[in-house]
Amino acid sequence: MAEIESSSNLSFILNKPFDVKFEQRPKPTLQSPRDVLVAINYTGICGSDVHYWVEGRIGDFIVENPMVLGHESSGTVVSVGSEVKSLKPGDRVAVEPGKPCRYCTPCLSGHYNLCNDMRFAATPPYDGTLTGFWASPDDFCYKLPEHVSLQEGALVEPLAVAVHIVKQAEIQPGQSVVVMGAGPVGLLCCAVAKAFGASKVVSVDIQPSRLEFAASFAATHTFTPERVKAEENAARLLKETGIEGGADAVIDASGAEPSIQTSIHVVRRGGVYVQGGMGKPDITFPIMALCTKEVTCKGSFRYGSGDYKLAVEFISDGKVDVKRLITGTVKFEDAEEAFKDVKAGKGIKVLIAGPNEKSCRCIGGH
Amino acid sequence: NETFVLHAKGQFLYADRPVPKLPSPRHVLIRVMATGLCGSDVRMSSYWQHGQIGQFVVRQPLVLGHESAGEVVDIGSGVTTVQRGDRVALEPGVPCQTCDYCRGGRYNLCAFMQFAATPPYDGTLSTYYTLPEDFCFILPPHISIEEGALVEPLSIAVHSVKLAGVTTGQSILVFGAGPIGLLCCAVAKALGASTVLLVDIEQSRLTFAHRYAATGTYRMEDKSLEENAVSIMANFRLSEGADVVIDATGAESCISCGVHALRRGGTFVQTGLGASNIVFPVGQICSKEGTYKGSFRYGPGNYKMAIELLNSKKVSVKELITHTHEFFRAEEAFEGVSRRQGIKSIIYGPGVQNVFVASSDTPTGNSIAKI
């Protein structure tokens, strides 16, 4: 088992696109008696991290000052504030990296993911978790059961994203679900949909290798769209999967315009469509179909109350085998290589070991 | 049974059809006395100009009209809720009542819906029309038959506002100051919304809206949609954005502006139908975690609520009736509506006398529509 050996707070920092550096930063201090200090063991990389590395911005969030990247982490508690009861030093945790204010209307009404003053790791101007140590409120660290590894712990974040999406989709037992995009989030949405009782889970992607994996991971059916009109792809999908009248729920985990258009034609009358993936901010959208079919379209943004907890449970009781998504683990000093690999579309999920991580095993790999 | 029939290529003719028989013991026969015209009847160059609306192609002559009120003249042997002489509003769509949608409480989505003036089913611009008794709603005594014809669009508004989940104290932003937009404002207000804003491009419509039901109005300016959204939020102190947005235009610019003016976690209801595809800010819906709902016609309880809103005088529809036409001059009504004349035009049933006093400012119209 990996241990935290030193007190390095070496951090992986983005200056501007493609310009990264390693630098020691002051070790964070506990801001409140309910805070804990976590030594980061592993951090996964997601499309948004790569986007900042390539573009230096996402929408209105612009990297103006050097910023530590990373937000999908697991770690080990090293110290706890005086009023912390739920955790103790040595506990291994999944880290929920967004700190809401707790007082604004969204926070008070159960939507802290929409907090007006959210401080989210690696969303400018807030530093991320590709660093040695991370200070966190105790309720934003989730203890991992003994049999769950720290590498799996780094997958809790994207799994929580999938949990949140599937909850938005209101999936119920026996329903049919179509997921557009077989990247990590799409794959995890398939698995969570299945765990929520969906009887048909269709994974859609243009890459055959991804679909192959999806079928072995969680999908009951797969579908490869062609370069035809959205209505045509939709009709063929429903025919091939035997989903009559349209799918109960459709999730877009791709952000791609053709997928979103197809989704509205795939979903049944009165069904739910969830926009999880982020792509072009404005797209051509089949609004009349949405309107006359009385479809409910919901955005999904990060995760909220209960999502991390359920994600840990799904890993713990084997309902979602996140290990299979880990295709590589690299040492902290090789972080930039990991970003390059993800950008090149290699593998599914690559983990970067924390700077204090002693031993580093690649437990995935295809 | 004189009917007003659309033929191929937009030609209208009058025809005397057989008086419909009651299809079941639960049906009633209604003498149609007033029928309103709606955008879908005319605006989308639908039945009238091109003989087609969306995927519904007019293949054989079709009777138009679906926003009607009339008098019950005959009832089936099993009818218990209405009697001869009752004045009723017509809910003109009969679902199958056996499919999953019907049994699950969303009969407006029934695949076998028989909806008036949607091919191949004839509409209500005729002397007589039949409906099951549960699709006939008795009008309150103080509501005229002309106002009864507005129960249909009022129910559309009820359906949309309910989908939006409007409750006391909320802010609602409505785009489009036509009948549906105006009625959405009125219903939202009646259900407790404290800030009811209406957006349009025409000042005269907005001036009326302010008198009718809106607490504030906004005229779209010649700048970007995001800038318009920012102005709306600033002018009406919606620092977070509107709780609810309803679009009653179907226009791309309004929908985009509306999404930008929606608060995080808010609900947008799409009521208006326009183009099949529009450029849509899906990224905003995603990052705001907005809910964007399509709204289609009306379902269980909507007509009942509409009647109650009129009964309790929480909503008034008199003010929206600006034009009335005799049955045998119905084509004028279509022409007028296609020229965006007035707000709501009513066509009387054949032989019904035109006595409604349509007034724009202080309506005193006391209708004694007679046969």
Side-chain angles (χ1 to χ4, degrees):
Chain A
M1 185 145 95
E3 285 164 17
I4 304 306
E5 69 169 356
S6 65
S7 292
S8 162
N9 204 34
L10 194 65
S11 307
F12 183 67
I13 293 158
L14 178 72
N15 291 319
K16 52 188 198 306
F18 298 109
D19 177 8
V20 292
K21 67 181 179 198
F22 291 90
E23 195 179 87
Q24 283 285 348
R25 285 282 184 91
K27 198 166 156 189
T29 51
L30 300 183
Q31 300 295 307
S32 111
R34 291 282 307 271
D35 275 4
V36 301
L37 188 68
V38 175
I40 300 293
N41 282 90
Y42 293 100
T43 303
I45 310 170
C46 117
S48 66
D49 297 307
V50 172
H51 204 272
Y52 278 117
W53 175 57
V54 171
E55 308 274 347
R57 67 187 297 165
I58 292 182
D60 293 333
F61 292 104
I62 305 167
V63 180
E64 273 155 12
N65 296 307
M67 179 184 83
V68 178
L69 294 173
H71 61 279
E72 301 181 6
S73 295
S74 63
T76 308
V77 177
V78 293
S79 66
V80 303
S82 56
E83 289 175 21
V84 173
K85 296 185 172 60
S86 55
L87 296 167
K88 57 186 192 308
D91 282 345
R92 300 164 325 121
V93 294
V95 173
E96 187 176 345
K99 299 165 186 172
C101 78
R102 306 202 203 250
Y103 302 115
C104 66
T105 306
C107 279
L108 289 172
S109 58
H111 301 283
Y112 67 71
N113 55 322
L114 303 176
C115 171
N116 296 334
D117 298 302
M118 172 63 87
R119 289 164 292 151
F120 199 87
T123 293
Y126 304 105
D127 285 328
T129 58
L130 272 165
T131 181
F133 296 92
W134 178 259
S136 170
D138 61 3
D139 55 325
F140 283 79
C141 288
Y142 302 80
K143 199 164 161 190
L144 299 173
E146 288 299 310
H147 62 281
V148 173
S149 68
L150 282 160
Q151 287 94 334
E152 290 169 283
L155 271 284
V156 174
E157 200 270 1
L159 181 54
V161 168
V163 165
H164 193 73
I165 288 173
V166 170
K167 281 184 182 174
Q168 287 290 84
E170 300 171 35
I171 287 163
Q172 293 169 41
Q175 285 193 327
S176 55
V177 184
V178 174
V179 181
M180 300 288 181
V185 173
L187 292 167
L188 290 169
C189 284
C190 288
V192 175
K194 216 170 186 183
F196 269 57
S199 55
K200 274 191 177 154
V201 179
V202 183
S203 177
V204 181
D205 205 284
I206 47 176
Q207 284 185 45
S209 58
R210 287 185 151 194
L211 285 185
E212 235 182 270
F213 182 82
S216 75
F217 185 65
T220 59
H221 298 74
T222 60
F223 180 80
T224 310
E226 288 169 2
R227 281 182 177 279
V228 296
K229 284 207 306 219
E231 293 94 315
E232 284 178 50
N233 271 318
R236 185 168 64 88
L237 185 157
L238 294 174
K239 185 155 179 249
E240 285 178 10
T241 56
I243 296 174
E244 270 185 50
D248 295 301
V250 181
I251 291 168
D252 177 69
S254 74
E257 188 172 52
S259 301
I260 296 171
Q261 291 167 350
T262 304
S263 298
I264 300 302
H265 295 293
V266 165
V267 73
R268 67 160 169 84
R269 277 194 309 289
V272 180
Y273 164 69
V274 180
Q275 185 61 53
M278 284 208 181
K280 270 186 344 187
D282 298 278
I283 55 147
T284 299
F285 190 80
I287 195 166
M288 177 149 339
L290 176 138
C291 201
T292 56
K293 286 164 68 167
E294 222 171 68
V295 174
T296 299
C297 164
K298 294 178 166 184
S300 185
F301 188 65
R302 295 181 184 145
Y303 27 73
S305 185
D307 297 334
Y308 255 70
K309 186 172 165 204
L310 188 58
V312 170
E313 238 178 79
F314 278 155
I315 298 174
S316 173
D317 54 18
K319 288 212 171 73
V320 180
D321 188 3
V322 293
K323 272 197 298 295
R324 293 191 56 206
L325 301 190
I326 305 171
T327 46
T329 307
V330 303
K331 297 201 286 275
F332 191 72
E333 46 268 37
D334 294 328
E336 195 174 0
E337 288 310 307
F339 273 74
K340 287 180 182 160
D341 284 348
V342 173
K343 181 170 183 294
K346 290 188 192 165
I348 304 174
K349 203 42 117 165
V350 178
L351 301 185
I352 301 171
N356 300 319
E357 176 63 43
K358 193 172 184 173
S359 62
C360 170
R361 284 156 301 182
C362 179
I363 60 165
H366 286 259
Chain B
N1 182 31
E2 290 288 343
T3 59
F4 183 65
V5 188
L6 171 71
H7 287 258
K9 303 258 193 313
Q11 200 194 11
F12 279 122
L13 295 171
Y14 290 93
D16 195 356
R17 298 255 184 105
V19 174
K21 293 192 172 36
L22 295 177
S24 90
R26 295 191 65 250
H27 272 71
V28 307
L29 183 69
I30 299 128
R31 171 111 189 209
V32 182
M33 293 174 67
T35 300
L37 283 188
C38 132
S40 77
D41 293 316
V42 177
R43 178 180 47 84
M44 285 195 278
S45 297
S46 53
Y47 307 141
W48 196 34
Q49 304 284 353
H50 301 134
Q52 177 172 344
I53 172 172
Q55 73 267 44
F56 302 114
V57 179
V58 185
R59 294 190 199 287
Q60 53 195 39
L62 182 74
V63 178
L64 297 183
H66 61 278
E67 301 180 9
S68 296
E71 187 180 302
V72 177
V73 295
D74 197 11
I75 59 175
S77 56
V79 171
T80 56
T81 56
V82 296
Q83 42 197 15
R84 289 180 187 79
D86 279 342
R87 299 174 323 131
V88 294
L90 276 53
E91 185 176 346
V94 182
C96 78
Q97 302 186 294
T98 57
C99 70
D100 284 342
Y101 289 105
C102 286
R103 299 192 319 173
R106 295 185 79 168
Y107 66 69
N108 55 321
L109 302 177
C110 174
F112 309 102
M113 171 65 83
Q114 298 181 12
F115 200 87
T118 296
Y121 305 106
D122 281 330
T124 57
L125 274 166
S126 61
T127 312
Y128 296 102
Y129 197 76
T130 62
L131 276 178
E133 61 174 327
D134 36 334
F135 289 84
C136 299
F137 295 81
I138 296 176
L139 296 177
H142 70 279
I143 296 294
S144 66
I145 209 75
E146 291 88 343
E147 291 165 272
L150 266 77
V151 174
E152 201 270 0
L154 178 56
S155 299
I156 299 247
V158 165
H159 187 70
S160 292
V161 172
K162 284 193 76 182
L163 271 177
V166 172
T167 58
T168 308
Q170 286 191 316
S171 56
I172 175 167
L173 182 61
V174 179
F175 286 80
I180 298 295
L182 291 164
L183 289 168
C184 284
C185 287
V187 175
K189 212 172 185 185
L191 295 187
S194 55
T195 304
V196 179
L197 306 170
L198 191 50
V199 181
D200 202 281
I201 46 175
E202 259 189 65
Q203 188 53 55
S204 61
R205 289 187 149 198
L206 291 176
T207 309
F208 174 81
H210 216 130
R211 285 201 308 273
Y212 178 64
T215 60
T217 60
Y218 178 84
R219 186 157 174 238
M220 287 285 265
E221 290 170 24
D222 191 14
K223 52 193 189 190
S224 79
L225 303 170
E226 292 94 319
E227 284 171 312
N228 271 297
V230 168
S231 293
I232 291 170
M233 287 164 60
N235 290 7
F236 299 102
R237 290 198 215 109
L238 300 175
S239 57
E240 299 292 321
D243 294 309
V244 167
V245 177
I246 294 182
D247 176 67
T249 69
E252 182 180 286
S253 54
C254 292
I255 295 166
S256 233
C257 180
V259 172
H260 284 283
L262 183 70
R263 72 154 168 83
R264 273 197 302 287
T267 298
F268 188 125
V269 174
Q270 184 61 49
T271 305
L273 288 176
S276 294
N277 292 280
I278 55 156
V279 175
F280 181 76
V282 73
Q284 282 271 302
I285 291 290
C286 186
S287 60
K288 281 182 170 175
E289 215 168 74
T291 299
Y292 180 71
K293 294 183 174 182
S295 179
F296 187 62
R297 297 184 182 142
Y298 26 74
N302 297 149
Y303 257 71
K304 185 177 167 194
M305 183 179 276
I307 295 280
E308 180 48 35
L309 287 170
L310 292 174
N311 191 35
S312 60
K313 303 190 182 171
K314 289 203 172 80
V315 171
S316 169
V317 293
K318 273 201 287 293
E319 300 88 325
L320 304 189
I321 303 170
T322 51
H323 295 79
T324 59
H325 304 266
E326 286 171 30
F327 188 75
F328 292 99
R329 300 174 74 158
E331 201 159 350
E332 286 174 12
F334 279 76
E335 277 162 13
V337 175
S338 71
R339 276 184 283 116
R340 292 167 58 90
Q341 170 187 283
I343 303 173
K344 195 46 108 170
S345 293
I346 300 287
I347 300 171
Y348 287 106
V352 175
Q353 197 175 340
N354 182 345
V355 290
F356 184 83
V357 178
S359 158
S360 53
D361 268 327
T362 47
T364 54
N366 206 354
S367 160
I368 326 161
K370 292 178 189 168
I371 295 170

